[in-house]
């Protein structure tokens, strides 16, 4: 049976039990401080075999290979370069020991933050994780686990590396601080949206905390999860006793949390720091009768940045997309980008977020600018500090691919109408987990427009998107739309929501441009589109007339 199908079948039947801590168990068997753990494991395979066997005997369905730090950066600190061989050999040790159990190829962090959060180049990170994953794959692992990630960009690099060489089941678990965010500010829901969009087969958290705090993280993720959820908590909180770090939760107390985690929606569970084979035995016993809660969603319209997620649910308030980061329409921005400066970019993002924009449009095509280079720099400048996710507008396939590959979240990306554009851009959006915005002009017969939209949605679904992933943009001629075109646009917006169940977008930034009363024309269009059920509008959130009309419309629509 296909290994991925086997895992999916097991997950339908019960909560899968993962193993516990590896490092502390190695120390119990003689591993001294200050050595490379993976090198010690290679020299002492019997100790590793004992640990795998103990976890299997006490109930673990899946053991992790002893390769947590087997990447070029961490091994390089000890002067070691045999990365691929190390991963292959330690995978083979686990496979020989596991019997009929599953073996997960364990990939841990490098210890460095990845651009734009740190100095490790993104493509370098992808390459070193690919080297590690290749060795694990050669060693015969059944699945991959990317764990203890504190940097969403590093997690993305590792997942892309795995996906580019294998279609095996892939788990990604992040590690969160006491405030519920990673070291560089990502919360559990944002990480979930990003990683499940990028192709992770299961997402969750490990290390982080004891079971109590981790329960809250699983509960927060479950309503938005399209994939199984994973928890590997520590054995309580660490305490320093003499020179040793110990954890305060005994096996029975740890196992008692199993039922609560199953009820919260966890689908795979094990232990992290301080847990032992006894902890896994207690967990297995507590989960023996638990029925797994399958992912509650098969699809969802959700986008994310490294610092926040936006769920585009029907019936919710109209979403404003800040439109001031458009180099073609903003001469001040264009001149600054030509000079290689990012102060206006950061300021415009910060101001629009404060004014109420929940998303930001970014468009770098303008005279004199290298669109690909500039767009990458804008994404790098915004990602560490900006909460609103991005709507990326770029025409060239290379520009779109580079932008989506480097963006540490799940972006919206504009895809122009027409078979050529869709055939080239939709697969790229699918590979990197972006949500496509399919654009259609409000011209000609409404029936022809509806047919074109249905055909485009069909093309998107063939690329793996669901209707919930897709946003339909209806484009009106600027600066003043003709009455027929306006009626078509509003009718299509209503039809998309009521008949297709798709989210819709209307760009107001060109409407009324250059006209004395242009701001009121935009406000009138917003009110009409809002009444028709539009989901998102691209606008300037500092325009008081627009925001007042938007607020009044929400009040009236909610009251009705």
């Amino acid at each position: 049976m296909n290994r991925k199908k086997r895992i999916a079948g097991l997950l339908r039947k019960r909560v899968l039990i993962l193993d516990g801590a590896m490092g502390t168990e190695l120390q119990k068997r003689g591993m001294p401080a200050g050595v490379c753990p993976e090198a010690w494991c290679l020299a002492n395979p019997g100790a590793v075999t004992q640990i795998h066997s103990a976890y299997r005997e006490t109930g673990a369905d899946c053991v992790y290979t002893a390769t947590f730090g087997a990447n070029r950066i961490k091994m390089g600190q000890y002067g070691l370069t045999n990365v691929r061989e190390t991963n292959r050999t330690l995978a083979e040790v686990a496979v020989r020991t596991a019997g009929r159990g599953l073996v997960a190829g364990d990939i841990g962090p490098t210890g460095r933050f990845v651009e734009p959060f740190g100095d490790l180049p993104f493509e370098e990170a992808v390459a070193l994780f690919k080297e590690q994953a290749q060795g694990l794959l050669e060693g015969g692992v059944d699945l991959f686990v990317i764990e203890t990630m504190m940097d969403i960009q590093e997690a993305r690099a590792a997942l892309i590396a795995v996906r580019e060489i294998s279609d095996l089941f892939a788990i990604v678990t992040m590690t969160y601080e006491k405030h519920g965010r990673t070291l560089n500010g990502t919360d559990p829901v944002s990480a979930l949206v990003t990683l499940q969009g990028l192709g992770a087969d299961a997402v969750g958290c490990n290390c982080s905390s004891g079971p109590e705090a981790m329960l809250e993280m699983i509960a927060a993720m479950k309503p938005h999860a399209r994939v199984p959820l994973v928890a590997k908590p520590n054995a309580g909180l660490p305490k320093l006793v003499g020179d040793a770090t110990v954890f305060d939760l005994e096996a029975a107390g740890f196992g008692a949390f199993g039922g609560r985690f199953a009820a919260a929606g966890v689908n795979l569970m094990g232990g992290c720091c301080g847990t032992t084979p006894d902890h896994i035995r207690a967990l297995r016993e507590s989960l023996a009768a638990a029925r797994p809660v399958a992912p509650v969603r098969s699809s969802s319209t959700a986008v994310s940045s490294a610092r926040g997620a936006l769920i585009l649910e029907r019936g919710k308030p109209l979403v404003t997309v800040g439109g001031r980061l458009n180099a073609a329409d903003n001469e001040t921005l264009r001149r600054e980008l030509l000079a290689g400066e990012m102060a206006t970019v950061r300021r415009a993002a910060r101001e629009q977020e404060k004014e109420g924009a929940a998303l930001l449009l970014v468009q770098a095509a303008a005279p004199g600018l290298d669109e690909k280079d500039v767009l990458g720099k804008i994404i790098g400048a915004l990602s560490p500090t900006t909460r609103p996710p991005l709507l990326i507008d770029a025409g060239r396939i290379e520009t779109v691919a580079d932008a989506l590959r480097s963006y540490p979240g799940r972006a919206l990306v504009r895809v122009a109408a027409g078979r050529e554009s869709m055939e080239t851009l939709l697969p790229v959006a699918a590979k990197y987990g972006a949500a496509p915005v399919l654009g259609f002009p409000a011209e000609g017969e409404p029936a022809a427009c509806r047919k074109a939209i249905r055909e485009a949605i069909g093309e998107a679904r063939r690329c793996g998107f669901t209707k919930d992933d897709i946003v339909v943009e209806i484009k009106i001629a600027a600066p003043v739309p003709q009455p027929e075109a306006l009626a078509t646009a509003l009718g299509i917006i209503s039809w998309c929501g009521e008949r297709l169940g798709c989210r819709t977008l209307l760009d107001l930034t060109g409407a009324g441009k250059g006209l004395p009363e242009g701001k009121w024309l935009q406000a009138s269009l917003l009110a009409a589109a809002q009444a028709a059920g539009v989901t998102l509008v691209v606008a300037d959130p500092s325009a008081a007339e627009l925001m007042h009309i938007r607020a009044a419309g929400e009040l009236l629509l909610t009251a009705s």
Side-chain angles (χ1 to χ4, degrees):
M1 179 187 294
N2 176 283
R3 283 177 285 187
K4 203 165 188 177
K5 288 183 179 179
R6 178 192 172 199
I7 295 169
L10 290 171
L11 287 168
R12 286 192 291 268
K13 296 176 183 177
R14 56 187 170 82
V15 176
L16 283 189
I17 307 298
L18 307 173
D19 66 7
M22 173 62 72
T24 48
E25 293 299 303
L26 289 171
Q27 291 167 6
K28 290 176 185 177
R29 288 162 176 80
M31 186 180 76
V35 303
C36 173
E38 290 73 26
W40 191 88
C41 289
L42 286 176
N44 298 272
V48 181
T49 296
Q50 288 176 11
I51 297 168
H52 290 325
S53 296
Y55 282 127
R56 283 287 293 133
E57 290 166 4
T58 52
D61 297 301
C62 177
V63 296
Y64 286 18
T65 58
T67 55
F68 178 78
N71 60 67
R72 186 161 293 275
I73 290 178
K74 284 199 168 180
M75 290 182 64
Q77 294 170 357
Y78 300 93
L80 303 174
T81 59
N82 56 333
V83 172
R84 190 160 163 176
E85 178 186 347
T86 296
N87 282 276
R88 181 174 63 249
T89 303
L90 292 177
E92 290 169 346
V93 170
V95 170
R96 284 196 300 269
T97 309
R100 294 179 60 84
L102 298 167
V103 173
D106 192 2
I107 297 173
T110 63
R112 290 170 61 183
F113 286 105
V114 178
E115 292 177 343
F117 304 100
D119 63 351
L120 180 60
F122 183 76
E123 293 304 332
E124 184 177 331
V126 173
L128 67 87
F129 283 126
K130 193 174 292 186
E131 178 183 34
Q132 183 178 8
Q134 188 64 54
L136 292 168
L137 192 62
E138 292 167 357
V141 299
D142 299 295
L143 66 154
F144 290 96
V145 59
I146 298 160
E147 66 160 331
T148 323
M149 289 289 167
M150 296 170 280
D151 173 3
I152 189 65
Q153 192 71 322
E154 186 173 34
R156 290 183 70 256
L159 182 56
I160 288 172
V162 166
R163 279 285 165 259
E164 289 184 343
I165 67 168
S166 170
D167 64 353
L168 289 183
F169 196 92
I171 297 170
V172 187
T173 56
M174 305 293 294
T175 293
Y176 299 94
E177 300 293 293
K178 290 180 180 179
H179 51 68
R181 290 180 178 269
T182 65
L183 278 175
N184 58 8
T186 304
D187 64 278
V189 175
S190 299
L192 170 73
V193 171
T194 298
L195 294 168
Q196 69 183 6
L198 192 58
D201 296 296
V203 175
C205 34
N206 77 291
C207 203
S208 302
S209 64
E212 192 74 53
M214 196 170 285
L215 264 171
E216 298 178 11
M217 300 176 195
I218 295 296
M221 287 188 282
K222 193 64 178 183
H224 311 292
R226 307 189 319 199
V227 297
L229 295 183
V230 187
K232 249 196 166 200
N234 294 333
L237 299 175
K239 294 180 179 178
L240 192 63
V241 178
D243 293 330
T245 300
V246 298
F247 290 81
D248 61 5
L249 191 59
E250 297 296 328
F254 183 85
F257 279 92
R260 294 172 64 185
F261 270 93
V266 82
N267 304 100
L268 304 96
M269 188 173 178
C272 204
C273 300
T275 58
T276 68
D278 287 338
H279 287 77
I280 299 307
R281 178 185 286 110
L283 181 64
R284 181 69 184 236
E285 291 170 355
S286 72
L287 287 170
R291 295 184 63 84
V293 180
V296 296
R297 291 180 179 270
S298 58
S299 62
S300 64
T301 307
V303 289
S304 59
S305 68
R307 303 185 63 83
L310 177 64
I311 314 298
L312 299 172
E313 295 179 304
R314 297 191 67 188
K316 296 295 183 180
L318 176 65
V319 174
T320 302
V321 182
R324 296 208 297 269
L325 287 173
N326 185 338
D329 290 342
N330 186 331
E331 181 58 24
T332 300
L333 175 64
R334 189 187 75 86
R335 286 199 302 268
E336 184 168 297
L337 292 173
L338 273 171
E341 299 294 331
M342 289 289 153
T344 296
V345 168
R346 294 188 179 94
R347 184 173 61 254
R350 187 170 57 249
E351 290 173 351
Q352 289 183 101
E353 181 179 359
K354 186 176 181 179
E355 293 156 0
L359 284 146
L360 299 177
L361 170 67
V362 177
Q363 205 264 59
L369 295 179
D370 180 331
E371 182 187 32
K372 180 178 173 182
D373 178 65
V374 170
L375 185 55
K377 289 178 178 176
I378 291 174
I379 289 172
L382 295 181
S383 295
T385 58
T386 303
R387 180 180 176 84
L390 300 185
L391 165 56
I392 294 171
D393 185 356
R396 295 171 54 212
I397 184 69
E398 299 84 359
T399 302
V400 173
D402 273 23
L404 296 182
R405 187 175 176 90
S406 65
Y407 180 60
R410 187 185 195 218
L412 286 167
V413 59
R414 269 176 165 158
V415 180
R419 177 164 295 278
E420 182 179 353
S421 177
M422 291 187 184
E423 287 181 348
T424 56
L425 290 181
L426 283 174
V428 172
K431 177 178 179 179
Y432 296 114
V437 179
L438 308 180
F440 301 89
E443 299 172 354
E445 291 293 323
C449 188
R450 288 194 293 268
K451 180 182 178 183
I453 290 171
R454 284 190 184 277
E455 290 175 349
I457 290 174
E459 185 68 29
R461 297 186 77 159
R462 282 188 285 275
C463 290
F465 294 106
T466 70
K467 67 177 182 180
D468 286 331
D469 292 315
I470 299 164
V471 176
V472 174
E473 178 178 6
I474 306 303
K475 299 184 176 184
I476 56 174
V480 181
Q482 294 300 306
E484 297 82 2
L486 180 57
T488 296
L490 298 175
I492 292 296
I493 288 170
S494 179
W495 174 78
C496 283
E498 294 175 4
R499 296 291 298 276
L500 300 184
C502 289
R503 281 59 173 173
T504 50
L505 179 144
L506 186 66
D507 191 338
L508 298 175
T509 53
K513 192 172 184 178
L515 299 179
E517 300 300 325
K519 60 186 179 181
W520 291 111
L521 176 61
Q522 284 193 10
S524 298
L525 287 172
L526 184 146
Q530 193 173 16
V534 75
T535 313
L536 309 104
V537 293
V538 182
D540 182 352
S542 68
E545 297 82 4
L546 280 174
M547 296 303 105
H548 287 321
I549 290 293
R550 176 186 177 278
E554 290 300 336
L555 180 64
L556 292 172
L557 291 170
T558 303
S560 62

